[in-house]
């Protein structure tokens, strides 16, 4: 007999997969993977872990601990978005974006502020990263445990 609620089938990681609410979230990258769109565009699939939800009532966790999925396309027409992300991460020096190790180092160097918006697609509401901004705050050491769970 199959038990869908058995411990071995529960999601692993730092968050659940329900769409987050719109607003500003302090987040850090916990997974990076190269991929391609259905039309063949090179892409980087990014999994963010929300560390702080700035859009909820003060003192409430909101979407903290949830995962946010994001895709950045690496074609010429979309590189402006990748450049915005790099600047929000504090990357000022050129790097080889085709080198997986350099890409991972750049994407994991800092937390950022994500501006999340809701988007309807095929009758389903999705949370989409609309904008990246520099996180000017201090990294809380307590986040390390959440990040470790999110990387699992």
């Amino acid at each position: 007999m199959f038990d869908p609620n058995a411990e071995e089938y529960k999601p692993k990681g730092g968050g659940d997969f329900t769409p987050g609410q719109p607003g500003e979230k302090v987040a850090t990258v916990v997974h990076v993977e190269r991929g391609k769109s259905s039309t063949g565009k090179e892409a980087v699939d990014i999994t963010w872990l929300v560390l702080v939800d700035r859009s909820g009532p003060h003192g409430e966790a909101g979407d903290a601990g949830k995962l946010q999925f994001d895709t950045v396309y690496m074609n010429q027409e979309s590189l402006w978005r990748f450049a915005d992300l790099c600047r929000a991460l504090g990357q000022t020096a050129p790097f080889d974006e085709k080198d997986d190790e350099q890409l991972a180092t750049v994407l994991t160097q800092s937390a950022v502020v994500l501006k999340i918006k809701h988007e309807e697609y095929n009758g389903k509401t999705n949370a989409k990263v609309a904008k990246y901004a520099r996180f000017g705050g201090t990294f809380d050491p307590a986040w390390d445990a959440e990040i470790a769970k999110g990387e699992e």
Side-chain angles (χ1 to χ4, degrees), residues 59-109:
E60 291 187 20
D63 289 334
K66 286 189 176 185
L67 299 176
Q68 173 66 48
F69 303 100
D70 189 18
T71 299
V72 178
Y73 295 102
M74 303 301 285
N75 59 317
Q76 192 61 40
E77 298 83 24
S78 301
L79 283 176
W80 64 269
R81 188 166 184 262
F82 182 62
D84 283 351
L85 171 56
C86 291
R87 286 189 296 270
L89 288 161
Q91 182 66 31
T92 56
F95 69 99
D96 183 357
E97 81 285 356
K98 295 187 186 321
D99 180 288
D100 289 343
E101 189 173 317
Q102 287 185 41
L103 180 66
T105 298
V106 167
L107 293 178
T108 58
Q109 68 183 308

Side-chain angles (χ1 to χ4, degrees), residues 124-139:
K124 185 177 176 187
T125 300
N126 296 308
K128 179 180 174 158
V129 178
K131 187 176 179 182
Y132 310 101
R134 187 98 173 111
F135 172 58
T138 305
F139 193 86

Side-chain angles (χ1 to χ4, degrees), residues 9-77:
Y9 302 119
K10 289 189 178 173
K12 295 173 177 53
D16 66 44
F17 299 103
T18 58
Q21 293 302 307
E24 289 189 356
K25 323 289 180 179
V26 176
T28 192
V29 172
V30 292
H31 184 75
V32 177
E33 189 172 317
R34 290 192 185 272
K36 287 193 181 214
S37 72
S38 59
T39 59
K41 288 188 231 174
E42 296 289 326
V44 176
D45 295 317
I46 302 169
T47 304
W48 297 93
L49 174 65
V50 176
L51 301 170
V52 175
D53 186 344
R54 290 182 168 176
S55 49
H58 185 68
E60 291 187 20
D63 289 334
K66 286 189 176 185
L67 299 176
Q68 173 66 48
F69 303 100
D70 189 18
T71 299
V72 178
Y73 295 102
M74 303 301 285
N75 59 317
Q76 192 61 40
E77 298 83 24

Side-chain angles (χ1 to χ4, degrees), residues 12-14 28 30 49 51 142-152:
K12 295 173 177 53
T28 192
V30 292
L49 174 65
L51 301 170
W143 294 341
D144 287 335
E146 280 297 310
I147 293 168
K149 285 194 307 187
E151 289 174 337
E152 289 179 358

